Amino acid sequence: MQLVLYTSAFCAPCAQARSVLAEAERLVPQARVVERDVAFENAKAADDEIRVTPTVIVLDDEGTEVFRATGVPTLNQVLTAAAQAL
């Protein structure tokens, strides 16, 4: 399972989202956080229809999106999505 975080350089809420995902990764051993900066991975961001940062996408092992949040998700939201992805 992947917890994908789309960020940008001057995004204060991105640091908060990063912290939430780090805690989720600590609590869910199967989870792996992947951070993508929209400035450097703009083609992938366009493919994933990213319009704002931070955006968090939770993917199951097959790569299917099970959750998406714009802004800073709560830890509970991410853990619930991780449970769905398992």
Side-chain angles (χ1 to χ4, degrees), residues 22-41:
E23 182 64 8
E25 185 177 42
R26 187 184 72 77
L27 294 170
V28 182
Q30 302 91 330
R32 183 172 63 96
V33 174
V34 176
E35 186 169 340
R36 295 187 173 129
D37 187 315
V38 296
F40 297 107
E41 298 191 53

Side-chain angles (χ1 to χ4, degrees), residues 15-70:
Q16 294 171 313
R18 189 177 295 117
S19 177
V20 169
L21 294 187
E23 182 64 8
E25 185 177 42
R26 187 184 72 77
L27 294 170
V28 182
Q30 302 91 330
R32 183 172 63 96
V33 174
V34 176
E35 186 169 340
R36 295 187 173 129
D37 187 315
V38 296
F40 297 107
E41 298 191 53
N42 56 1
K44 183 65 177 158
D47 289 346
D48 284 341
E49 300 178 1
I50 303 303
R51 303 285 180 251
V52 298
T53 58
T55 295
V56 173
I57 301 172
V58 177
L59 304 171
D60 66 15
D61 287 339
E62 287 77 41
T64 302
E65 183 177 319
V66 298
F67 174 80
R68 179 182 291 241
T70 57

